[in-house]
Amino acid sequence: INGFYNEYIRSNRAMDMESREKAENKVLLLYFMNRVRIPVSNMQLTRIMLENRFMNYFLLQQGIHEMQKDNLIITETRDNIDYYTPSPEGLKMLEMFMDLIPLGIRTRLDENIDAIRSVIRLETSVVAEYTLESEDEYEVKCKILEDFKPLIDIRLSVGSREDARSICNNWKAHAKEIYPEVIAVLLGKS
């Protein structure tokens, strides 16, 4: 917190714009993570911040790295993906410096946070990916997660990249329909 506080103090003096922008970005990231109330991945955070033009990619990554180093965020890794939440120290920092975030940006986030949360939950709950196993074999992993616990986890071997991509795309588009059908068949209720 001290490093961030010193950065903030300098920002209220004739501090250069770059340092003030870095401080604002950190508080904005903490604000977003706090408001979304679920762990958010680096990719999701990057997409949201860039799509809304809240900050550029390099300042975002630098902010995340510095916040990890300063223990302002908690990083949890699941399936080789880092998810971030604000730490107790980060929440204290947010409370102290929330006024750094322009009111217009806070309002925009607040108005859209429910929709953003729904998208993040959906992205986090339906997973489809493939990896090359050998020259003519791909492993496809399809999952539905609830609170980061698997409801269903299917692994398939296919012979082409095209098939692997097709399965991934169809799983992402239809997983919520496929899951009840699989359960019904397995329970003998189909």
Side-chain angles (χ1 to χ4, degrees), residues 2-170:
N2 287 336
F4 192 85
Y5 179 75
N6 291 337
E7 205 171 299
Y8 177 74
I9 294 301
R10 286 193 315 265
S11 74
N12 283 332
R13 296 184 190 137
M15 176 175 134
D16 63 284
M17 287 300 291
E18 182 181 334
S19 295
R20 181 173 175 85
E21 184 179 15
K22 282 173 45 179
E24 287 174 6
N25 288 343
K26 289 177 188 177
V27 176
L28 174 60
L29 290 169
L30 288 168
Y31 183 78
F32 174 77
M33 287 182 228
N34 185 51
R35 291 286 291 131
V36 80
R37 295 192 319 257
I38 57 175
V40 61
S41 73
N42 189 306
M43 185 171 64
Q44 292 164 332
L45 197 54
T46 300
R47 181 179 42 78
I48 291 162
M49 292 297 136
L50 295 180
E51 281 178 1
N52 289 285
R53 296 191 172 126
F54 291 139
M55 67 187 75
N56 73 45
Y57 176 81
F58 299 104
L59 289 175
L60 169 67
Q61 297 306 319
Q62 180 181 22
I64 290 170
H65 174 75
E66 289 175 4
M67 289 192 306
Q68 286 174 312
K69 188 177 72 178
D70 295 337
N71 296 317
L72 298 176
I73 58 175
I74 297 167
T75 305
E76 185 178 342
T77 304
R78 293 184 222 127
D79 292 328
N80 296 321
I81 298 173
D82 289 338
Y83 291 90
Y84 308 118
T85 54
S87 69
E89 294 87 358
L91 292 174
K92 287 178 198 167
M93 185 63 57
L94 174 61
E95 190 176 313
M96 289 170 56
F97 301 111
M98 188 162 353
D99 63 322
L100 279 177
I101 306 169
L103 181 60
I105 290 176
R106 274 187 295 177
T107 302
R108 222 164 89 205
L109 269 176
D110 290 344
E111 289 172 352
N112 295 298
I113 202 69
D114 290 333
I116 292 169
R117 187 180 306 110
S118 294
V119 168
I120 289 173
R121 275 205 173 111
L122 181 62
E123 289 173 348
T124 305
S125 66
V126 177
V127 178
E129 57 192 18
Y130 65 89
T131 55
L132 178 64
E133 294 296 308
S134 66
E135 190 174 313
D136 58 351
E137 183 183 7
Y138 290 83
E139 181 183 40
V140 181
K141 299 173 191 171
C142 301
K143 300 179 196 177
I144 297 178
L145 305 169
E146 187 173 278
D147 295 326
F148 297 98
K149 294 181 179 119
L151 292 177
I152 189 169
D153 186 347
I154 299 172
R155 293 171 191 257
L156 306 164
S157 290
V158 296
S160 72
R161 174 182 267 172
E162 184 179 305
D163 287 347
R165 282 184 184 159
S166 179
I167 290 169
C168 286
N169 291 336
N170 285 320

